[in-house]
Amino acid sequence: MLALLIMLQLVSTLGMVGVIWFVQVVHYPLFDKVGSSGFRDYEQDHQRRTTLVVAPLMLTEAVTAVALFWLRPEGIPTPTAVVGLGLIAILWASTFLWQVPAHGRLAKSFDSATHRNLVRSNWLRTVAWSARGVLVCWMCLPLLSVSTDAIAHLP
């Protein structure tokens, strides 16, 4: 059960690390290339389609992080679990306090200042998810050593 939780945590977090870097480096910077006439429809489609990808990953990440905090296996110190939850709190706060409202404004019409602020403020999420990626990989190390030991003793 705990191994499954850790693996779900790993998959959801690393999935979001990949998504956030793509969004930060490729997707968001290209918003200003769409053109004002089609931007409103583009932004609305972007929000709907992005939610389909990120909502399951973010929810899985949050639920498994809370579960791992309460069921903390050996090898995952309390401070590590707390830092993981703290990073999730930062990510969710940033998402719902800055990025979602910015997308709401952009869904009405493209605005250069809002776009710049979106790209700039998204660096917080990019760094936080990258830190979570490192943290969750570190949490998986004990699992890897157990798996390696088990494999080494196979006939």
Side-chain angles (χ1 to χ4, degrees), residues 7-42:
M7 293 312 294
L8 286 171
Q9 176 89 155
L10 179 68
V11 169
S12 60
T13 298
L14 293 182
M16 283 308 303
V17 170
V19 167
I20 201 68
W21 275 100
F22 175 81
V23 165
Q24 183 63 37
V25 174
V26 177
H27 192 59
Y28 280 177
L30 292 175
F31 272 21
D32 65 352
K33 306 287 189 231
V34 174
S36 57
S37 64
F39 188 81
R40 182 176 179 200
D41 290 338
Y42 176 84

Side-chain angles (χ1 to χ4, degrees), residues 7-152:
M7 293 312 294
L8 286 171
Q9 176 89 155
L10 179 68
V11 169
S12 60
T13 298
L14 293 182
M16 283 308 303
V17 170
V19 167
I20 201 68
W21 275 100
F22 175 81
V23 165
Q24 183 63 37
V25 174
V26 177
H27 192 59
Y28 280 177
L30 292 175
F31 272 21
D32 65 352
K33 306 287 189 231
V34 174
S36 57
S37 64
F39 188 81
R40 182 176 179 200
D41 290 338
Y42 176 84
E43 173 63 24
Q44 290 170 355
D45 285 345
H46 157 79
Q47 287 181 48
R48 185 177 61 258
R49 292 176 184 207
T50 299
T51 299
L52 291 173
V53 173
V54 301
L57 291 172
M58 287 180 71
L59 288 170
T60 300
E61 181 183 37
V63 167
T64 57
V66 169
L68 285 171
F69 175 77
W70 291 110
L71 305 171
R72 202 170 40 264
E74 285 185 44
I76 299 179
T78 302
T80 302
V82 171
V83 168
L85 287 175
L87 287 168
I88 286 177
I90 290 167
L91 290 162
W92 281 65
S94 177
T95 298
F96 291 102
L97 294 175
W98 290 312
Q99 279 71 41
V100 169
H103 282 291
R105 289 188 298 278
L106 289 170
K108 295 175 186 167
S109 68
F110 183 79
D111 175 70
S112 294
T114 300
H115 173 246
R116 274 191 312 278
N117 288 334
L118 176 68
V119 173
R120 191 175 309 127
S121 67
N122 196 57
W123 277 111
L124 174 62
R125 294 193 311 168
T126 303
V127 169
W129 255 309
S130 297
R132 272 201 50 76
V134 170
L135 184 75
V136 172
C137 285
W138 181 80
M139 287 173 24
C140 287
L141 287 177
L143 275 182
L144 291 174
S145 65
V146 168
S147 299
T148 304
D149 291 344
I151 291 169

